[in-house]
């Protein structure tokens, strides 16, 4: 269920290990199955959860839907991309996706932005800059 000229792919043997990428799309259980065990998932999350109807209509995903695909495939880290230009802020994470103090209960979630550079050893650290990004893009 990808938009025209948008695709999903799984690359093995990258510096990240197994890398799964999905462009503009609705959530795909087939993609989650094909990318099972991904070390990193890069997935679009154009809309916040309260805009699900618009996401369906425009063939995009919400933050929770993208994270659900990451959970289904067992991704070790999730990079969310392609936030709507109409809402210049960092989308809210659903409560179930937040890490608990002192122990990680979910894969790290990274909000991608222009010129972001990630390396395998920086994934965990990149997930911790979200509070600073929220200061740059307040509600």
């Amino acid at each position: 269920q990808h938009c025209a000229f948008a695709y999903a792919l799984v690359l093995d043997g990258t510096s990240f290990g197994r890398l799964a990428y999905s462009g503009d799309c609705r959530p795909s259980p087939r993609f989650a199955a094909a990318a099972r065990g991904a070390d990193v998932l890069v997935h679009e999350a154009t809309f916040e959860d309260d805009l699900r109807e618009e996401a369906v209509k425009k063939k995009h995903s919400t933050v929770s839907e993208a994270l659900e695909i990451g959970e289904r495939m067992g991704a070790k880290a999730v990079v969310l991309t392609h936030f709507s230009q109409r809402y210049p802020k960092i989308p809210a994470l659903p409560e179930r996706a937040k890490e608990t103090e002192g122990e990680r209960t979910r894969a790290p979630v990274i909000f991608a932005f222009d010129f972001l550079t990630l390396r395998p050893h920086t994934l965990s650290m990149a997930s911790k800059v979200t509070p600073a990004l929220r200061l740059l893009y307040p509600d």
Side-chain angles (χ1 to χ4, degrees):
Q1 294 185 351
H2 283 80
C3 293
F5 306 108
Y7 303 94
L9 59 94
V10 180
L11 298 170
D12 287 311
T14 74
S15 61
F16 292 95
R18 181 167 244 225
L19 178 68
Y21 169 85
S22 185
D24 297 351
C25 66
R26 292 293 302 139
S28 170
R30 280 182 48 203
F31 173 60
R36 187 162 315 284
D39 293 290
V40 178
L41 166 64
V42 179
H43 200 290
E44 70 99 353
T46 303
F47 293 100
E48 289 195 59
D49 292 348
D50 61 340
L51 297 172
R52 186 180 180 284
E53 287 181 28
E54 194 166 349
V56 170
K57 184 170 62 173
K58 295 185 177 180
K59 293 187 177 179
H60 288 288
S61 297
T62 66
V63 171
S64 284
E65 289 172 331
L67 293 173
E68 174 67 26
I69 292 299
E71 287 176 16
R72 283 184 175 198
M73 70 176 56
K76 294 179 184 81
V78 178
V79 180
L80 299 177
T81 66
H82 194 173
F83 311 111
S84 176
Q85 296 297 326
R86 295 188 307 170
Y87 311 102
K89 64 179 186 170
I90 302 300
L93 271 179
E95 283 300 317
R96 66 184 179 80
K98 295 179 181 173
E99 293 182 10
T100 59
E101 195 66 35
E103 63 180 83
R104 224 175 70 212
T105 58
R106 301 279 179 197
V109 177
I110 297 132
F111 289 95
F113 53 87
D114 290 348
F115 306 110
L116 173 68
T117 300
L118 292 171
R119 303 230 183 325
H121 65 279
T122 63
L123 288 172
S124 180
M125 181 177 34
S127 71
K128 295 180 181 1
V129 301
T130 300
L133 291 174
R134 288 191 199 290
L135 292 174
L136 292 172
Y137 301 99
D139 291 344

